[in-house]
Amino acid sequence: PVGDARVAPEFGKRFEVRGDVRSAVLQVSGLGFYEFRIDGVKVGDDVLTPNETSYGHRAGLGQHFISMSDSAWRQFRVFYQQYDVRHLLARGVHQASAVVAGGVYSSTNRRWLHPYGSPRLWCRLVVCYKDGRSDTIATDTTWQVRRSPWVESDPFAGEVYDASAEGADRWRQAVRRQAPDGRLVLGDGPADRVVERLRP
């Protein structure tokens, strides 16, 4: 939906919190890697999520990697993460957003990887109020999408960020994509996190 396959799409959705929040749980997965924010604040401290898995069948896999076939995998899985986001949600209107880089799922580097498809986002935010009501905000075609400033991103070649492109592209309606064959399961492995920053 955003043209150039190297550009990481940014998804967005405005939603309203209609009362005092008792609990708010976000379940989210991006294919390949995602970073989810509420009102500009990053959710969680993990990076390069979700962990790589065999997401599903890939058309033409044997044409590029002769020694591999989908039948070699024991099972297909798609990991999602779960976060407590109650501290980010006061009464009022909020903005959810997520940038989804290609990662292993949608890499354009066919020398090393064979892609599964275009980048995708799945999420469900369940907000429960103190008066017993609840709201569910989930990905659908009411979300919007645009090109992000990450004009290239690849797990082997790194990324290119164009600061002049921040907010430059117009929002478009998101489109529904077919889910991978893999079973959607809560990720149970250790997350990647930033443990040290090196100054050049």
Side-chain angles (χ1 to χ4, degrees):
V2 293
D4 192 338
R6 296 171 300 176
V7 177
E10 178 184 7
F11 296 87
K13 169 80 173 179
R14 290 174 68 83
F15 65 96
E16 184 178 3
V17 172
R18 302 180 299 133
D20 295 327
V21 177
R22 178 170 55 84
S23 66
V25 176
L26 172 69
Q27 298 173 322
V28 57
S29 183
L31 300 176
F33 301 131
Y34 73 88
E35 188 170 281
F36 198 98
R37 294 178 180 270
I38 295 177
D39 298 329
V41 178
K42 183 179 182 301
V43 173
D45 63 352
D46 39 5
V47 296
L48 302 177
T49 48
N51 288 336
E52 177 193 347
T53 57
S54 298
Y55 306 102
H57 296 279
R58 286 171 283 180
L61 179 64
Q63 298 171 10
H64 297 276
F65 298 89
I66 303 301
S67 61
M68 295 181 67
S69 95
D70 283 330
S71 62
W73 305 107
R74 185 173 60 184
Q75 62 176 315
F76 297 131
R77 294 179 298 171
V78 176
F79 288 142
Y80 70 89
Q81 286 66 50
Q82 184 165 291
Y83 303 98
D84 180 353
V85 295
R86 181 180 57 176
H87 63 289
L88 297 175
L89 297 178
R91 184 193 296 259
V93 177
H94 297 272
Q95 175 72 33
S97 63
V99 173
V100 184
V104 175
Y105 186 85
S106 185
S107 174
T108 57
N109 186 346
R110 292 199 173 216
R111 179 180 177 188
W112 298 104
L113 298 169
H114 186 74
Y116 292 83
S118 59
R120 288 137 210 251
L121 175 70
W122 172 88
C123 79
R124 178 172 54 207
L125 170 61
V126 178
V127 181
C128 297
Y129 301 106
K130 291 181 180 179
D131 63 6
R133 295 174 301 142
S134 66
D135 285 325
T136 299
I137 297 94
T139 40
D140 57 19
T141 55
T142 66
W143 283 63
Q144 295 181 305
V145 63
R146 67 181 177 183
R147 294 163 59 98
S148 78
W150 278 271
V151 294
E152 290 188 39
S153 59
D154 182 85
F156 291 96
E159 65 183 30
V160 175
Y161 185 89
D162 180 5
S164 68
E166 292 179 2
D169 194 31
R170 65 180 178 86
W171 288 105
R172 304 168 178 84
Q173 184 178 9
V175 297
R176 185 180 300 275
R177 294 289 190 205
Q178 184 172 340
D181 308 312
R183 199 164 46 94
L184 188 63
V185 295
L186 180 63
D188 58 358
D192 292 317
R193 291 187 171 88
V194 175
V195 296
E196 183 179 5
R197 295 183 183 272
L198 303 178
R199 293 187 177 275

